[in-house]
Amino acid sequence: MTSKTFFLDQHGCAKNQVDGELIITRLENLGFERTEDASCADLIIVNSCGFIESAKTESLNSLMQAKDSYPNAKIVLAGCLAERYADVFKDNLPEADAVFGNGDMSKLDGVVDSLFKGERPVVKEEQRGVCCGDRNTLLSFKGSAYVKITEGCDNRCTFCAIPLIRGTLRSRPVDEIVDEIKLLLSRGVYEINLIGQDLAAFGCGKDDVSFSDKEFSWHDVLYSKLKEPVIADPDFSSKYGDSELLTLIKKISLLPGNFWVRLLYIHPDHFNPDILDFMKTDSRFLPYFDIPFQSGSDSIIKSMNRKGQSKDYVSLVRKIREVFPESCIRTTFLTGFPGESEKNAEETKSFLKEIQSDWSGCFSYSLEEDTPAYKMKHRVPHKKAEKRSLELQEIQAEITACRLKERTGKTYDVLVEEIVQNAEEGSDEGLAIGRAWFEAPEVDGSVVIRYDLSDPRSVASVQEGNVVKVKVVSSSAVDLDGMLLLGED
């Protein structure tokens, strides 16, 4: 009997990517074979995003297109959109042969079984634990992997639907995380990207058990007692001791070997400087910090249900650069939040110019039902929000170009992601694409690696997943261009 095939149509963020990798593994364990050609698939999984309107539209369009193009395949809407709107889609989305939320990935087996028996399962489970487990296939470039350390969020930013989709904050046990990293390293992964909605809240879920025998509740500290950002309280560490994130980092640091660890997504109110000094003692922890400030206007920050002021966030950036002068800062801005005036928008532009972030993303406000901001007055017209977004992007483009130019003439370790031009294409110069430590996967720029195709050592070195030394010779708006350097025998 020929086994059934499946095609995964992946959408959304890194956390959803991990879920997609879990879906692949579960289906393969059921005897399905994965195909990269949707026209050959018996089963098509649209692993959707439900964060903002544009992402929801993209996911639904993919579902409709799959149903229209491949009428003989079973089409499953999975992921965040399915979790958020399962009750609606049960009756109002007949194009989906099944709806599978991401609350409990183990339920996928039953969904698939029911689906091929001619039923139309709709599954939405209460969010429990953290979706994790063995992953036979990684959807990242070779040598890189995401490791989810938390699920859900308790920050309750007024614009954000994540708690509605992924539930309240839960953390994985430290030993479980370390064991997963060990396994990935044994499989040749070099770059470990720790992800969660807010890494600084690791171990601070209401039902999380303290990993360091604290006599108090970290959840109470962050979500009840905290009246200003951690960075604004010089006595925070003396009052509470090591953060749970630092406890995790210390455990990871005990692992032997040469690898990178990147921390992605840290809420600016919760960023605890206690991680900085320790990271300085272990260069495997990259001084790359993704801190979504969202706004530089105090009144808007407050309306977003954040505790800081722009001066606090500027102080945080200064503190990071005090410890790591060459650190890389990435952030995110949201324009057109309800009530954002021209003055507020100008304050955010001034904030961006002051912090000089290496990278930033920007999106206009999306009206999301069941979030507090949904009912806020003084909505900003979409065109105006988009205009403000473009203005921030222009400012960031100038800053990024200048900061990249400062990296020319320096030598960096670069993780090779893709071979662009090799000996088979008739050129004397090899070309490859990779990333240095200050470039996160998917969202930042790249390093172009040039090397000599007539040199067997160079060709052997520049392979996907390998780490090579590259001397940067020039820069563009978002990328660097460099020459491969080979070590001495």
Side-chain angles (χ1 to χ4, degrees):
M1 178 179 176
T2 304
S3 62
K4 288 184 171 60
T5 58
F6 74 94
F7 174 82
L8 178 69
D9 183 8
Q10 179 65 38
H11 296 260
C13 65
K15 294 177 287 296
N16 213 41
Q17 178 177 311
V18 171
D19 292 348
E21 293 163 352
L22 294 171
I23 288 172
I24 291 172
T25 300
R26 296 203 75 90
L27 289 175
E28 289 177 341
N29 289 344
L30 290 174
F32 282 76
E33 292 184 5
R34 185 183 174 211
T35 177
E36 296 289 351
D37 184 354
S39 66
C40 298
D42 300 296
L43 173 65
I44 295 175
I45 307 281
V46 179
N47 194 29
S48 64
C49 178
F51 181 51
I52 57 177
E53 191 61 36
S54 59
K56 290 186 284 187
T57 300
E58 178 184 293
S59 295
L60 285 174
N61 286 344
S62 294
L63 175 80
M64 300 299 185
Q65 184 177 353
K67 190 64 176 179
D68 182 59
S69 301
Y70 314 112
N72 295 324
K74 300 290 188 181
I75 314 295
V76 177
L77 180 69
C80 290
L81 190 64
E83 179 70 20
R84 186 175 180 186
Y85 297 107
D87 295 336
V88 175
F89 294 153
K90 181 177 182 179
D91 298 319
N92 297 331
L93 192 66
E95 293 83 0
D97 296 311
V99 178
F100 174 60
N102 52 20
D104 185 351
M105 302 298 287
S106 70
K107 299 293 184 181
L108 179 62
D109 301 19
V111 167
V112 172
D113 182 61
S114 298
L115 181 62
F116 282 93
K117 286 180 178 177
E119 301 172 11
R120 185 177 182 267
V122 176
V123 174
K124 176 182 179 180
E125 290 288 324
E126 180 184 351
Q127 297 279 352
R128 298 187 183 93
V130 180
C131 295
C132 57
D134 292 338
R135 292 174 280 162
N136 298 338
T137 299
L138 299 176
L139 298 175
S140 309
F141 282 104
K142 190 174 181 181
S144 180
Y146 294 106
V147 174
K148 196 187 296 187
I149 69 170
T150 69
E151 188 66 277
C153 188
D154 285 346
N155 289 324
R156 305 291 172 178
C157 297
T158 53
F159 59 85
C160 186
I162 292 299
L164 302 173
I165 301 170
R166 292 192 176 263
T168 56
L169 173 66
R170 297 95 71 197
S171 305
R172 294 175 67 186
V174 168
D175 290 342
E176 183 180 290
I177 296 168
V178 173
D179 285 344
E180 180 177 357
I181 293 174
K182 282 181 185 177
L183 179 61
L184 289 168
L185 296 177
S186 72
R187 290 170 55 184
V189 171
Y190 182 81
E191 177 184 63
I192 301 296
N193 298 286
L194 301 183
I195 57 171
Q197 203 59 37
D198 174 13
L199 294 195
F202 172 74
C204 301
K206 193 171 185 179
D207 296 322
D208 286 347
V209 177
S210 176
F211 308 119
S212 46
D213 300 322
K214 302 290 186 184
E215 295 181 356
F216 55 84
S217 162
W218 270 114
H219 188 272
D220 288 345
V221 171
L222 288 194
Y223 301 106
S224 298
K225 297 180 180 179
L226 196 67
K227 304 304 180 186
E228 58 185 356
V230 171
I231 190 68
D233 184 355
D235 299 321
F236 190 86
S237 290
S238 61
K239 286 188 290 189
Y240 300 111
D242 289 355
S243 64
E244 301 292 79
L245 179 59
L246 178 56
T247 300
L248 172 62
I249 289 174
K250 286 181 176 180
K251 285 289 186 71
I252 296 172
S253 183
L254 296 176
L255 294 174
N258 186 26
F259 55 90
W260 282 347
V261 179
R262 189 187 305 276
L263 308 180
L264 293 176
Y265 325 131
I266 301 181
H267 192 291
D269 287 349
H270 299 158
F271 193 111
N272 195 324
D274 69 352
I275 66 173
L276 298 176
D277 287 336
F278 183 80
M279 289 173 65
K280 198 170 183 179
T281 68
D282 189 339
S283 61
R284 297 177 299 179
F285 291 90
L286 304 180
Y288 179 105
F289 302 97
D290 188 340
I291 311 170
F293 292 117
Q294 305 298 2
S295 176
S297 171
D298 290 348
S299 61
I300 298 300
I301 293 169
K302 184 176 181 180
S303 293
M304 290 178 171
N305 192 34
R306 295 184 164 209
K307 298 178 173 65
Q309 295 183 327
S310 59
K311 64 179 179 63
D312 298 318
Y313 300 155
V314 169
S315 294
L316 174 56
V317 172
R318 286 176 180 168
K319 175 63 177 178
I320 291 171
R321 287 180 175 150
E322 177 185 307
V323 180
F324 292 105
E326 291 195 13
S327 59
C328 181
I329 306 291
R330 162 169 272 280
T331 190
T332 308
F333 292 104
L334 186 159
T335 59
F337 185 81
E340 184 186 58
S341 65
E342 289 297 334
K343 179 176 180 293
N344 298 145
E346 288 298 321
E347 288 170 343
T348 297
K349 287 195 283 187
S350 297
F351 173 77
L352 174 55
K353 292 175 183 177
E354 185 165 7
I355 65 170
Q356 292 284 298
S357 51
D358 297 77
W359 311 99
S360 71
C362 192
F363 60 97
S364 56
Y365 172 70
S366 176
L367 189 64
E368 297 296 320
E369 65 270 22
D370 299 322
T371 63
Y374 185 78
K375 296 181 179 180
M376 289 184 179
K377 299 179 180 180
H378 308 297
R379 295 179 185 173
V380 177
H382 181 69
K383 285 187 177 180
K384 183 173 289 188
E386 284 288 300
K387 178 176 179 291
R388 291 172 181 173
S389 177
L390 289 173
E391 289 171 349
L392 286 174
Q393 291 175 45
E394 289 172 359
I395 294 171
Q396 182 62 67
E398 292 182 7
I399 297 171
T400 297
C402 289
R403 294 189 71 82
L404 288 177
K405 190 173 183 179
E406 292 173 356
R407 298 192 184 276
T408 59
K410 298 180 181 180
T411 299
Y412 297 101
D413 287 340
V414 175
L415 175 61
V416 182
E417 290 189 328
E418 183 179 4
I419 307 299
V420 178
Q421 183 170 290
N422 57 33
E424 296 178 356
E425 295 168 334
S427 173
D428 293 332
E429 182 180 56
L431 290 177
I433 303 296
R435 287 182 294 104
W437 68 263
F438 45 84
E439 296 162 321
E442 305 295 339
V443 294
D444 299 332
S446 302
V447 177
V448 177
I449 308 164
R450 300 180 185 274
Y451 59 104
D452 185 0
L453 286 174
S454 66
D455 181 4
R457 290 179 62 211
S458 296
V459 174
S461 296
V462 183
Q463 299 294 323
E464 293 174 1
N466 284 359
V467 177
V468 296
K469 289 197 177 296
V470 176
K471 183 173 182 179
V472 177
V473 296
S474 65
S475 65
S476 65
V478 293
D479 297 322
L480 296 173
D481 202 312
M483 301 297 298
L484 174 69
L485 294 181
L486 290 177
E488 298 295 329
D489 291 328

